Amino acid sequence: MDVLQIGLILMGLLFLFLGAGLWVALSLFAIGVFALDFFTSAQTGPIIATTAWSSLATWSLAPLPLFIWMGEILFRSRLSEDMFTGLAPWLNKLPGRLLHVNILGCGIFAAVSGSSAATAATIGRMSIPELRKQGYPDKLILGTLAGSGTLGLLIPPSIILIVYGVSAELSIARLFIAGVLPGAMLIVLFMSFVGIWATVNKDKMPAAEPSIPFADKIRASGRLIPVITLIAAVIGSIYGGIATPTEAAAFGVVGALILSGISGSLSRESLMDGIMGATRTSCMICFILAGAAVLTVAMGFTGIPRELAAWIAQMDLSPYALLAALTVFFIVLGCFLDGISVVVLTTSVILPMVQAAGIDLLWFGIYVVLVVEMSQITPPVGFNLFVLQGLTGKNLFAIALAALPFFFLLLFAVVLITVFPEIATWLPQQMNG
């Protein structure tokens, strides 16, 4: 049996397992075991034991539970309320006014949660009733939330960037810093679109709120400023080389506990809920990573990645043509799997192809996250769409239609970082210097 037939069999089995509702991690383990047992002469037991252990016994994963815990602590504080009351007074003069609260609020919360769905749910729970009450168009309310919620995957400390860094054996610190400018670029693109739409459709926008004195704006932002300072300190300490990602994450947890205690939202119950939430999420991700590591080693024994990379090389595709094909592939795959699963499922096969084409793996990590972000707002399994459907009860495809402009903005962002790769690579290069 040749490599192509083996690959098709394994792919068919994987989709069969996933379609049957088997956990992603178990599906990856099962395919790895099947490949080793039936298509190689390797000793399956020792390989699984050593591979699963070595994939998790790495300091690169140490920041993961800490950053997740930091997000859990702040998620259970009054952060979402503070963001709405703190941001609204500053945005009243911009075209689109309070719609920008969704975008900037998601950007700020993305920096503490690292999760797309959690970002959309937290900000949406607070902003949707308020914006509807003031008469903002429902389509823009849902579109800005769906699109901006995806920032949770890109803006550091992004959980998916940690997963990619471990899978691709890259520096987590450099990946975090690489996500800063693309994340800021997305915020600017989203806010620009809202501003242009509001300028063209003035009749559909509610009247502006009365202006308030500068001192009142500062007071309204009083509880938001410490959170922004904490985020800046965490990312700045990594960029400046003052702290490793693990040390910065530990600092972030301590800071989040202090802020939560000062705000009065820290209790024994909220502390335990945060610890258990972080534990469940971390274990889920680690289980998937272990399964992906087993599958990666199994693929190596079968020779599929090597043959596939050689086949791509023979096709003599330009890097742009390869990226165009991969963009379609990731969008389709992301319609059925969450972002972390997409990354760990594909790295063993995709990364050799990318390296053979001479594409920088650090840049490729930001590209992958942007494309996976697009899949978060596309049916039938766009996770942000499900979150907003749960919050509003609206039809899934109506929400997808509202999010369509932001899908195209994400696609435009992919084009921009492809044409100008320095958007993703300049800050890491400065950090090295």
Side-chain angles (χ1 to χ4, degrees):
M1 189 175 296
D2 62 24
V3 172
L4 177 61
Q5 291 174 319
I6 294 173
L8 290 174
I9 290 172
L10 295 178
M11 185 182 298
L13 282 174
L14 179 61
F15 281 106
L16 176 65
F17 291 155
L18 293 173
L22 191 63
W23 289 358
V24 172
L26 291 178
S27 299
L28 297 175
F29 269 112
I31 298 300
V33 170
F34 183 84
L36 289 169
D37 272 346
F38 288 90
F39 301 121
T40 74
S41 57
Q43 293 183 319
T44 304
I47 287 175
I48 291 175
T50 56
T51 302
W53 170 256
S54 61
S55 68
L56 301 179
T58 168
W59 277 109
S60 299
L61 278 176
L64 180 71
L66 291 171
F67 277 126
I68 294 174
W69 189 20
M70 183 180 83
E72 290 281 345
I73 295 165
L74 293 174
F75 175 73
R76 286 167 172 78
S77 70
R78 292 195 292 268
L79 176 60
S80 58
E81 300 171 30
D82 294 343
M83 274 195 287
F84 198 90
T85 56
L87 290 173
W90 301 96
L91 302 172
N92 202 38
K93 294 296 183 182
L94 293 178
R97 291 188 289 279
L98 296 188
L99 288 170
H100 295 298
V101 173
N102 279 350
I103 300 169
L104 289 176
C106 285
I108 294 171
F109 194 82
V112 299
S113 75
S115 164
S116 174
T119 299
T122 305
I123 303 302
R125 195 176 293 119
M126 184 67 195
S127 69
I128 289 174
E130 184 65 29
L131 294 177
R132 280 179 167 175
K133 185 173 70 176
Q134 296 197 29
Y136 285 88
D138 222 40
K139 189 173 181 180
L140 261 293
I141 295 173
L142 298 177
T144 52
L145 276 172
S148 304
T150 62
L151 294 169
L153 297 179
L154 181 61
I155 294 179
S158 162
I159 304 305
I160 197 171
L161 283 178
I162 296 176
V163 172
Y164 176 80
V166 172
S167 301
E169 299 181 357
L170 293 173
S171 163
I172 305 298
R174 294 185 71 225
L175 278 169
F176 275 1
I177 301 307
V180 171
L181 287 183
M185 178 185 70
L186 279 181
I187 291 175
V188 171
L189 287 175
F190 292 166
M191 291 184 70
S192 300
F193 169 77
V194 169
I196 293 169
W197 189 96
T199 302
V200 174
N201 300 275
K202 289 182 179 178
D203 56 316
K204 297 180 181 178
M205 297 293 293
E209 292 285 320
S211 183
I212 65 173
F214 183 79
D216 291 342
K217 291 181 181 180
I218 294 293
R219 275 193 290 274
S221 306
R223 289 195 306 194
L224 183 59
I225 292 172
V227 175
I228 297 176
T229 304
L230 174 64
I231 295 165
V234 168
I235 304 304
S237 64
I238 296 173
Y239 179 75
I242 300 170
T244 65
T246 306
E247 292 165 347
F251 170 76
V253 168
V254 173
L257 286 170
I258 293 171
L259 292 181
S260 185
I262 293 172
S263 68
S265 59
L266 183 63
S267 63
R268 177 182 172 84
E269 183 182 2
S270 66
L271 179 64
M272 294 308 298
D273 286 346
I275 292 173
M276 291 307 299
T279 301
R280 282 191 293 267
T281 304
S282 302
C283 289
M284 179 268 291
I285 294 172
C286 288
F287 195 17
I288 291 175
L289 282 173
V294 170
L295 180 59
T296 299
V297 170
M299 293 295 100
F301 274 100
T302 61
I304 291 174
R306 183 176 61 253
E307 292 294 326
L308 192 56
W311 178 60
I312 293 295
Q314 288 173 2
M315 291 175 66
D316 200 25
L317 286 177
S318 70
Y320 291 135
L322 176 61
L323 288 173
L326 288 177
T327 299
V328 175
F329 170 74
F330 279 122
I331 291 174
V332 172
L333 195 60
C335 288
F336 302 95
L337 294 171
D338 65 278
I340 291 172
S341 300
V342 169
V343 169
V344 298
L345 189 62
T346 57
T347 47
S348 61
V349 176
I350 298 295
L351 291 186
M353 296 164 44
V354 171
Q355 287 179 302
I359 297 172
D360 180 13
L361 291 187
L362 180 78
W363 175 90
F364 188 73
I366 304 303
Y367 157 84
V368 167
V369 172
L370 278 173
V371 177
V372 169
E373 282 183 339
M374 294 161 64
S375 69
Q376 299 293 296
I377 53 176
T378 52
V381 192
F383 283 85
N384 284 16
L385 303 182
F386 284 133
V387 168
L388 294 177
Q389 185 184 37
L391 289 176
T392 63
K394 290 181 73 73
N395 179 275
L396 187 73
F397 288 95
I399 300 173
L401 188 62
L404 190 60
F406 295 88
F407 174 88
F408 287 116
L409 288 172
L410 285 165
L411 185 59
F412 181 57
V414 170
V415 173
L416 284 178
I417 69 161
T418 303
V419 177
F420 305 105
E422 296 82 7
I423 296 172
T425 59
W426 184 76
L427 273 181
Q429 288 168 357
Q430 301 306 306
M431 181 174 133
N432 283 349

